[in-house]
Amino acid sequence: MSRIKLIASDLDGTLLQNGAQSLGQGTCELIHRLTSEGIYFFAASGRQYPNLRRLFSPVAEEIGYICENGCVGFYQGEQLLLEHMDRADGQEILHAIWEKENAEILLSGIYTSYLQPKKMSYYHHMRDVVKNNVTLVDNIFDVQEEYMKISVYEDEGIEKSSAYWKERFGSRVAVVTSGACWLDMMPLGVDKGSALRKIQETLGIAPDECLAFGDNYNDAEMLSQVKYSVAMDNAVPAIKEQCRYHTDLVEHALEKLLCSIR
């Protein structure tokens, strides 16, 4: 194995197993040991930047972040990338979600999520369970911040309607399922892989010096952008087939890596 210089890991279903909303005991210590060895660690998620900083609070200043499925990226407080979609497309997407029964909107800003919930239980889920920064608005269509990612949340599951969203908007924006209840839409060509590629170029790190962990379809491009791709044992079949390696827990793989460089 080449010397690993950068590790990127998905969160939900990967570092966060079985619906967990906090990292396992000892995870941040492992990450600290990696950064102390000069290895970059990037949390790569559909989640927002403030949410990820809270999750990784013990090492928040040591690591990098690929947020909103590749729309925005940070390292040690410096913004490395930011992507926007066409506002007219975004408005059409917002109207389509608003008109669909049982579908909720999440409009992502850099530092907050804009919500106009149909059910207040959705707002409480995003604020108290997911622990996002959230801003309640009276009219979601009047939000002035440029559109990055727009997400559909269906608490009964997104699987039945994912084909509809892909058929309707897939030629204009990137459309990807990112969990059992979530579907994300980003600017065309934007994903975790495109973000990681820009970060590799910025830091001068080659794909064969990188390792990444993932479990779902929105991780596919990121996993293609590294030599050492690792699927979780609970990953969807397509991700398992794509990856060179697999693991039950990210922490187990990180321990092995640290042992190999001692």
Side-chain angles (χ1 to χ4, degrees):
M1 178 181 287
S2 301
R3 164 73 175 177
I4 299 298
K5 295 183 179 179
L6 185 151
I7 297 168
S9 179
D10 172 52
L11 269 292
D12 295 283
T14 302
L15 262 177
L16 299 176
Q17 294 277 316
N18 303 314
Q21 296 297 323
S22 59
L23 296 171
Q25 186 176 5
T27 302
C28 285
E29 174 58 27
L30 276 173
I31 292 170
H32 174 69
R33 288 164 59 194
L34 289 163
T35 60
S36 297
E37 293 286 345
I39 299 172
Y40 293 95
F41 184 92
F42 276 79
S45 176
R47 295 181 179 228
Q48 66 174 203
Y49 178 52
N51 178 298
L52 291 175
R53 283 190 62 90
R54 281 190 287 271
L55 267 173
F56 290 90
S57 57
V59 291
E61 297 297 333
E62 299 178 31
I63 70 170
Y65 305 88
I66 295 171
C67 318
E68 309 289 0
N69 271 339
C71 289
V72 62
F74 290 86
Y75 179 67
Q76 294 187 340
E78 179 185 355
Q79 185 175 298
L80 300 181
L81 60 100
L82 179 62
E83 306 284 356
H84 296 121
M85 71 169 66
D86 178 78
R87 190 170 184 86
D89 287 336
Q91 285 269 311
E92 186 177 343
I93 291 166
L94 292 175
H95 279 285
I97 302 171
W98 184 255
E99 292 162 6
K100 190 174 187 303
E101 188 177 1
N102 298 320
E104 295 279 8
I105 296 169
L106 186 146
L107 175 58
S108 295
I110 298 176
Y111 297 104
T112 192
S113 301
Y114 298 100
L115 307 179
Q116 186 183 355
K118 298 173 185 176
K119 299 177 183 177
M120 286 306 292
S121 58
Y122 170 58
Y123 164 72
H124 292 299
H125 174 73
M126 295 307 302
R127 186 192 67 179
D128 302 328
V129 179
V130 179
K131 301 188 187 308
N132 263 19
N133 283 8
V134 294
T135 300
L136 279 176
V137 296
D138 294 327
N139 189 336
I140 197 77
F141 308 102
D142 288 342
V143 171
Q144 293 303 301
E145 186 169 355
E146 290 188 85
Y147 298 158
M148 295 192 302
K149 187 188 76 174
I150 300 174
S151 302
V152 187
Y153 175 79
E154 297 190 34
D155 60 7
E156 295 182 356
I158 199 70
E159 184 178 356
K160 291 182 180 178
S161 62
S162 61
Y164 164 77
W165 297 111
K166 290 175 182 177
E167 182 177 347
R168 181 162 180 182
F169 295 110
S171 63
R172 286 180 281 165
V173 297
V175 183
V176 64
T177 55
S178 58
C181 300
W182 289 99
L183 181 138
D184 295 337
M185 289 179 255
M186 295 85 65
L188 202 62
V190 171
D191 49 57
K192 293 181 186 179
S194 67
L196 180 57
R197 183 169 58 254
K198 290 181 180 180
I199 288 166
Q200 288 167 335
E201 292 169 356
T202 299
L203 299 177
I205 296 174
D208 65 2
E209 297 172 316
C210 298
L211 181 153
F213 299 92
D215 77 303
N216 216 322
Y217 299 107
N218 65 331
D219 301 316
E221 293 85 359
M222 176 178 72
L223 293 164
S224 295
Q225 192 58 33
V226 304
K227 181 175 181 179
Y228 302 104
S229 54
V230 186
M232 305 308 295
D233 286 344
N234 63 340
V236 297
I239 295 299
K240 285 184 177 179
E241 291 174 11
Q242 175 183 347
C243 290
R244 296 180 64 181
Y245 307 99
H246 65 89
T247 188
D248 58 340
L249 290 174
V250 171
E251 290 84 350
H252 290 166
L254 297 182
E255 285 276 15
K256 289 180 181 178
L257 176 60
L258 282 162
C259 287
S260 73
I261 59 179
R262 281 175 187 163

